Amino acid sequence: MSDGTAGVVPVRGVRARVARAGGLAGRLADPLLARLEGARGVWWPALLIGVVMFGLIVWQLAIPREYFTGTDSIAVSSVVAGVEKGQTLCVPDLQLPAETGRVQFAVFSHEPKFAVEMRVTAQGATTSSEMVGTPGPTSLAYASASIPRRPSSPAAVPATVCLTALNGPISLGGMIGLQANQVAAQLDGAPVPNRVAVWFLPPAGHERSLLASAGAIFSRAALFRPGIVGAWTYPMLLFLVLPLLWALSLLLLARGASNRPLPSRLRFLRPAVAIALIAFVNAASWALITPAFNAPDEPSHFAYAQYFAETGHGPSRVPGAQAQYSTEQVLALNAVNIYSQISNPLGRPPWLALEQQQWQHLVASTPHPANNGGGYTEAASPHQPAYYALLAPAYLAVRSQSTFSQLTAMRLVSALLGALVAACAFGVVRELLPRQRVAAVAAGLLVAFHPMFGFISGAVNNDSGVNAAAALSLYLVIRALRRGLSWRVGLALGAVLAIAPFMKETAYEIYPAVAVGLLGMLWRRHRLRDASSWVALAGAFIAVHGGWSLLQPVFYPTVAGQPSGGGITATSSLSLAEHMPGRFLEYLWELFLPKLSFMGNLFPPGWPFKAIYLMRGWASFGWYTWSFPNWVYGAILVAMIAAGVLALSTGIRERVAARTRVFELLVIALFPVCVLVAVEAAFFAPDGGRTVVAEQGRYIFPAIAALAAIAVAGTFGLGRRWHAPLATTLVVAMIGLSYASQLLTLGSFFT
């Protein structure tokens, strides 16, 4: 890990062996080997791991599976209609999709076996069939009844489905309440003002692989997007754009391993710029893959950004009568049925072009102001407007276009912030190991292709703002520790540290780690002539805070009885952790390990670390709806443990170099520790009693650049000879996981 160039063993002797072979083959192979000189440690691991990942992905894509032909985009959160024996409930205003052969409902019943007559009326004809089911332990059964298979054209026809209970009573599942664009179900002619969940399936026994469904997936994914997006967009992303990113990534690694610059045609792409570009395009792909508003709290963050761009003010900071969302946003949210189908594996966004056309007609014929929102939302309103101000120019640039164009433009700004984080991860390792080019490139790529980080960076969420500020702070601290604190770096660091909590108040969690870095700077250089740099740092910090104090009454006025800052309301929990350190240590123990006999039940049953930092921290998409099978998270866990052990091994092997970088390594180690402790302190419940684990894995992302540096340090753990192969293995595995995650998201939402 020293500044030497021993990170990769050159390919000596290979050319000589070919030359000895003589003949035309040797003469042809020699130029190729010259290009691959020193890079075998990249190409061979990339080939081997790439083949394994590709095989796993194709295997999953080719497996036949059950699928829906359509839904009414309503999931099940509660019982919404009770039907007594002999009563009839009709669900009108449905669209019966092509190739449908069954209709499914969520039926609750206390009978050992229930029976229902189902009638479907479409195109002037009515068909009747019987639906039977056996409820499970929760009294719920997803029961279906067959109908004559619909032809493949048209895509859908209007239909009404009626259910008559033959025994009972039974109840149906769905969502409480109606949206403005929905028609109430009828129970013996009386309106039922709730949403009943309905699913449409092919005839029994019909299954289809994701590969066979690709055309339908791409067409469905293109709905409720900017006008330029079409079904063509997704094969171009999946089979052209993303593979080009992978090729550029491997080229960066290979050129780093052989100590060569990029080819002349790509010379304008400095490695940091190339990594930022890769991260941006990957996050932008997520912005087009994730259905509209189907990322955590995205409707609330969009509403804040829209209101700020329209009015120059933040939203209300206290609950009141003011509407949360503008009329324009409400029409869009209703069009995609977002609050009818999120956070449920059986929820689906609308799939029919007809539904998009209905929204377009409604927008064209209905007044829809964009500036009449601004009401309190729990997820966004407590935060200060720095992140949302960054989104305002993108919003205003497409203000005259659709809500979905506005959403996509905002998502792309978040993608730019994600690109900055990846570039900072590259920069951190480059500062630490300036001659180990593979290590720096690998760190940036691990961030760029991290699936959950890419997903969040392709969504509207102020986590992207605090992630960027934290990563930039880490880079500036490491740079100052390595080169000394200049007045320029001091200005930048002071400003970034001041701005970070304005992005999200959780940024204060990085301050202890930064303080250690500042102490290291003072320890190493404390001459009088260095005072100007410290004055610049302090001056920038004070100036930004002072400037904000002048602007706050305009953009973000104080409210009596409310804290002056933004962020999560965690003061009481943080205070509890501070005043109950023993109990908090138990809480941290139970996060990772089984509780001991003297400990209380501070978490719900299960392994909280897996739920938070494995599943939600690596790959759980939508509103934490879609995840991989357990074995995938098991493999990730093994890789995390191995990376940690190898990082410790590196510290022992390279202890001489580590001693010269002790403050840098302390800062990098403290970043994830401080972030994790702060997150858990914010959710600390000393008496237990929680029914769900509330923490979200994405809250660790302010430390993702530091975590990438730690993972890359582990690639030296078996010796420098293995550095490039291990770094390449990590990057290619991350690329494969990212691609699998994008396919999982498309295949889950749109089949």
Side-chain angles (χ1 to χ4, degrees), residues 17-27:
R17 287 195 298 271
V18 175
R20 285 196 297 270
L24 180 62
R27 291 194 297 273

Side-chain angles (χ1 to χ4, degrees), residues 197-375:
V198 185
W199 298 269
F200 303 104
L201 299 94
H206 282 237
E207 295 182 331
R208 192 163 64 191
S209 69
L210 292 178
L211 286 174
S213 300
I217 290 172
F218 298 153
S219 296
R220 294 163 180 172
L223 296 176
F224 301 103
R225 306 285 187 182
I228 193 174
V229 175
W232 61 269
T233 305
Y234 295 92
M236 187 187 74
L237 279 178
L238 295 174
F239 308 131
L240 177 62
V241 174
L242 292 175
L244 285 175
L245 293 188
W246 311 337
L248 178 57
S249 301
L250 293 177
L251 186 60
L252 287 170
L253 287 170
R255 291 288 171 151
S258 57
N259 202 28
R260 293 170 181 265
L262 286 171
S264 57
R265 293 180 181 178
L266 297 175
R267 198 67 54 83
F268 68 95
L269 278 178
R270 298 179 66 86
V273 176
I275 286 168
L277 176 64
I278 289 167
F280 171 74
V281 175
N282 188 61
S285 299
W286 275 108
L288 296 176
I289 287 170
T290 305
F293 298 110
N294 220 311
D297 303 319
E298 193 170 46
S300 299
H301 294 295
F302 176 92
Y304 192 137
Q306 183 184 59
Y307 188 74
F308 184 85
E310 291 282 349
T311 68
H313 301 291
S316 174
R317 295 173 58 194
V318 293
Q322 190 173 1
Q324 293 181 331
Y325 308 131
S326 69
T327 303
E328 182 178 73
Q329 185 182 358
V330 168
L331 293 180
L333 293 174
N334 287 346
V336 296
N337 278 14
I338 191 66
Y339 288 117
S340 295
Q341 43 95 7
I342 56 170
S343 299
N344 191 305
L346 289 176
R348 299 290 190 277
W351 288 352
L352 297 171
L354 173 65
E355 292 166 300
Q356 179 174 273
Q357 294 163 7
Q358 290 172 342
W359 163 74
Q360 291 170 333
H361 175 75
L362 189 61
V363 169
S365 59
T366 304
H368 52 281
N371 62 355
N372 61 341

Side-chain angles (χ1 to χ4, degrees), residues 72-76 174-175 182 195-199 337 340-341 346:
D72 65 349
S73 298
I74 297 169
V76 177
M175 306 286 289
Q182 292 174 330
R195 290 159 281 177
V196 178
V198 185
W199 298 269
N337 278 14
S340 295
Q341 43 95 7
L346 289 176

Side-chain angles (χ1 to χ4, degrees), residues 304 307 313-323 373-385 505 548 552-569:
Y304 192 137
Y307 188 74
H313 301 291
S316 174
R317 295 173 58 194
V318 293
Q322 190 173 1
Y376 175 84
T377 62
E378 184 177 358
S381 292
H383 300 294
Q384 299 188 33
E505 198 173 59
W548 172 244
Q552 187 176 28
V554 178
F555 296 127
Y556 195 69
T558 57
V559 177
Q562 298 293 318
S564 59
I568 59 173
T569 307

